[in-house]
Amino acid sequence: MSVKKTTLLFTALLVAAPFLSQAATQQEIDLALAPVKTNADLQQLLNSASPLDALEQHVFQFVSSVKFSKKGQQISFDKELLESNLSATEIYKILVLFGQQSSISQYQNALIVTDTDKLLLTGSSLPFCNAADPIETSVTLDKNKQAIFGYAQSGVVCDGNVELTENTTITYVLVPGKKSPKGLRLVGAGFTNPFDGHIEKVTVSSDGQSIQLENNIENSGVSKYQFILESEENDLLLVSPDPQVVNKDNKPPM
């Protein structure tokens, strides 16, 4: 290995070290090791062959859509442009550049050409969300008018589920997008078993853009629930997949 490559590897490990020492999530590690964190990094990337080449004539349109936060911890870009023109594998390679490869499962409209494409879209595992912070909830319609739910916190994708060790109020907040159903709003939540004592109270905001679930940690185990939403698209109600709360039993062994 050359001295230059060794230095770069050592630098990357130094950058990742603080995250690793604090039991960092995989997303934080991916971000720490991402080669593109600033606009300068992105411009330099354009001077050589890279996964961005798969975008062909759309590459500059994509580059112009990339936005970096001041601290470099949040990076946004035109996801629809990727999904409309690339296979899942091609998208994954681009996401790696920005440390966002764990979000590949959200690109369900990507082209599926190989078994790898299929595996990327169906076999990705996401971490629990942090119940201490609001969980950003997105709902988008794919080309077949199927609703796709996604969850994230501060730009980091999570699976919508939470794991608790104390009484907590879990908050989900709707984040509208270009492909979201028009006039989407929350109206409540349904439960697989509303009598298990995990969630004791559900409160929906007056504008229907957030929902809070008050949890009782005294009852250990798993409770599954589904969000119920309405929109201006039609008079039917939309039901989400099953987020869940996991109450961990932290009682010391006898």
Side-chain angles (χ1 to χ4, degrees):
M1 182 180 292
S2 67
V3 175
K4 182 177 180 180
K5 288 185 177 179
T6 303
T7 302
L8 289 174
L9 178 59
F10 182 71
T11 301
L13 291 174
L14 286 178
V15 172
F19 294 101
L20 294 171
S21 64
Q22 299 174 20
T25 65
Q26 185 61 51
Q27 284 72 23
E28 290 171 327
I29 296 172
D30 292 341
L31 181 60
L33 299 178
V36 179
K37 297 186 181 70
T38 66
N39 190 58
D41 294 335
L42 182 58
Q43 295 303 318
Q44 184 175 359
L45 188 70
L46 295 175
N47 295 326
S48 58
S50 78
L52 292 178
D53 295 340
L55 283 165
E56 297 180 344
Q57 71 270 24
H58 302 290
V59 64
F60 291 107
Q61 181 183 351
F62 173 76
V63 169
S64 65
S65 77
V66 179
K67 306 297 180 186
F68 298 91
S69 66
K70 291 182 179 180
K71 295 183 179 181
Q73 296 300 306
Q74 295 185 41
I75 304 173
S76 62
F77 43 76
D78 191 339
K79 297 179 180 180
E80 184 177 349
L81 187 63
L82 297 180
E83 201 173 39
S84 301
N85 295 280
L86 303 178
S87 68
T89 301
E90 290 170 328
I91 293 175
Y92 183 86
K93 291 178 180 179
I94 290 177
L95 294 178
V96 169
L97 299 175
F98 303 99
Q100 296 191 19
Q101 57 265 45
S102 293
S103 68
I104 184 62
S105 62
Q106 293 192 358
Y107 292 78
Q108 292 297 316
N109 284 336
L111 294 174
I112 298 178
V113 181
T114 66
D115 289 339
T116 301
D117 295 328
K118 186 181 299 183
L119 179 63
L120 285 170
L121 295 181
T122 60
S124 299
S125 178
L126 297 175
F128 283 110
C129 298
N130 179 8
D133 300 312
I135 301 170
E136 302 159 6
T137 305
S138 62
V139 183
T140 57
L141 297 177
D142 65 15
K143 56 189 176 184
N144 296 317
K145 290 295 183 179
Q146 296 294 312
I148 299 173
F149 284 75
Y151 304 93
Q153 292 178 304
S154 300
V156 178
V157 177
C158 53
D159 66 2
N161 304 320
V162 294
E163 187 175 75
L164 304 178
T165 58
E166 61 183 4
N167 288 337
T168 306
T169 297
I170 314 157
T171 301
Y172 292 83
V173 179
L174 281 181
V175 178
K178 294 179 181 179
K179 291 187 174 182
S180 298
K182 185 179 179 181
L184 189 68
R185 54 182 287 121
L186 289 153
V187 297
F191 294 81
T192 303
N193 181 6
F195 313 108
D196 59 15
H198 292 86
I199 302 299
E200 296 190 324
K201 183 179 180 180
V202 175
T203 304
V204 180
S205 63
S206 58
D207 62 0
Q209 297 306 294
S210 66
I211 187 169
Q212 292 186 320
L213 300 92
E214 296 182 18
N215 181 69
N216 185 350
I217 197 62
E218 292 183 4
N219 300 301
S220 62
V222 178
S223 181
K224 296 184 178 181
Y225 46 91
Q226 295 173 284
F227 299 127
I228 303 171
L229 307 95
E230 63 181 11
S231 72
E232 297 175 9
E233 300 280 340
N234 53 43
D235 294 329
L236 304 179
L237 296 177
L238 172 65
V239 179
S240 73
D242 293 343
Q244 64 184 27
V245 58
V246 180
N247 283 352
K248 296 195 69 175
D249 185 0
N250 285 337
K251 296 179 181 178
M254 299 298 291

